[in-house]
Amino acid sequence: MQDALRVLEALSRRAGDARTAELSAETGLDADRLGALLAMLCGQGYASRLDDGGYVTGESLSLLGGSSLNSEFAIRSHLQGLLDRLRDEVNAAVYVGRYVDGEITVTSVADAPETPRVHEWIDFRSTGHASAVGKALLSQLGPQARREHLSRHRPARFTARTITDTRALFSRLEARPPVVPVLDVQEYAVGTVCAAVPMSTGPTVGCLALSLPARHAHRLHAAAAALSRGSTPVLLSLTL
């Protein structure tokens, strides 16, 4: 994500179009990495490729950078469009989770009749120890903040798979490599499996998640990998 921001910053500093050689020198990115990022940024409307081969900032960047009510609507619409496309790509309901004022909240959802969202049978604020969203958010907090959160939301057993021992939970969160998605295999709800990718923007802790019926559990790891690959455009839309 930081590499994509560097490319956008380099484009924004130029009054006219920028060539790939110039962008590579300014950002320090090699040709392959820069080419992949420019293709993604152009695909999302953050950048545009001109007929002469140069690049400029795109329409989406202008819309997201505004401060009017129309711009706020454009930001929400753009984010929802990204989530809808990601939902179709991974063939699963997709969620944005945030940790706001000490609470777990799901701020955006992209679902459809064939990819229904999880039934919130227990308030998501109380599921930090069990849901993929909750665990992804807790994994980004320090030990003291985690303990404080779970002192307010005591781990309860929702299913036979729910981890209620805080030491065991913390050990699992700390042992997980940062690039590996957090999983919930029927820990929050019987019949549902989920995955979440930590996704922070500035001081705000966030994540991108998906859910599948348990009968599709064999797709969970592949869907989680696709979710991780598709997280950069979503994170950009939340950051810009």
Side-chain angles (χ1 to χ4, degrees), residues 133 149 162 176 192 231:
V133 166
H149 179 88
T162 306
R176 181 191 61 82
T192 301
S231 64

Side-chain angles (χ1 to χ4, degrees), residues 6-228:
R6 286 159 62 192
V7 174
L8 288 177
E9 289 168 357
L11 286 173
S12 297
R13 284 193 292 267
R14 295 182 174 274
D17 62 278
R19 304 290 168 167
T20 54
E22 297 167 335
L23 291 172
S24 181
E26 190 166 343
T27 61
L29 299 172
D30 62 43
D32 290 342
R33 176 63 173 158
L34 179 60
L37 287 171
L38 286 170
M40 182 275 291
L41 292 171
C42 288
Q44 300 298 331
Y46 295 121
S48 294
R49 188 177 188 277
L50 303 178
D51 292 339
D52 63 3
Y55 291 88
V56 295
T57 55
E59 182 179 356
S60 292
L61 190 63
S62 300
L63 288 172
L64 297 180
S67 58
S68 67
L69 289 177
N70 285 340
S71 294
E72 292 178 11
F73 176 77
I75 290 170
R76 291 194 299 270
S77 298
H78 184 73
L79 174 60
Q80 191 62 50
L82 290 174
L83 295 177
D84 289 346
R85 287 194 290 275
L86 195 52
R87 173 202 63 206
D88 295 342
E89 180 182 341
V90 300
N91 194 23
V94 174
Y95 314 77
V96 173
R98 308 295 285 270
Y99 195 74
V100 181
D101 297 329
E103 299 293 352
I104 292 165
T105 180
V106 173
T107 57
S108 301
V109 183
D111 62 349
E114 61 275 16
T115 54
R117 69 181 67 186
V118 172
H119 171 58
E120 189 177 352
W121 74 287
I122 293 174
D123 193 321
F124 284 142
R125 290 177 297 178
S126 301
T127 66
H129 63 296
S131 67
V133 166
K135 289 189 288 183
L137 297 176
L138 291 182
S139 73
Q140 299 173 77
L141 304 180
Q144 183 175 345
R146 290 178 198 159
R147 286 192 293 270
E148 191 279 330
H149 179 88
L150 293 178
S151 72
R152 291 184 287 109
H153 298 286
R154 297 285 185 181
R157 189 171 299 283
F158 303 144
T159 76
R161 294 175 177 267
T162 306
I163 300 172
T164 58
D165 183 288
T166 54
R167 286 180 296 182
L169 175 65
F170 288 0
S171 294
R172 291 196 181 190
L173 293 179
E174 290 163 2
R176 181 191 61 82
V179 297
V180 175
V182 181
L183 302 182
D184 157 19
V185 183
Q186 301 190 80
E187 295 172 49
Y188 169 64
V190 174
T192 301
V193 297
C194 305
V197 178
M199 188 180 66
S200 294
T201 58
T204 302
V205 172
C207 70
L208 186 63
L210 64 81
S211 66
L212 289 166
R215 65 181 181 276
H216 293 160
H218 62 282
R219 294 203 296 111
L220 183 60
H221 287 281
L227 184 78
S228 183

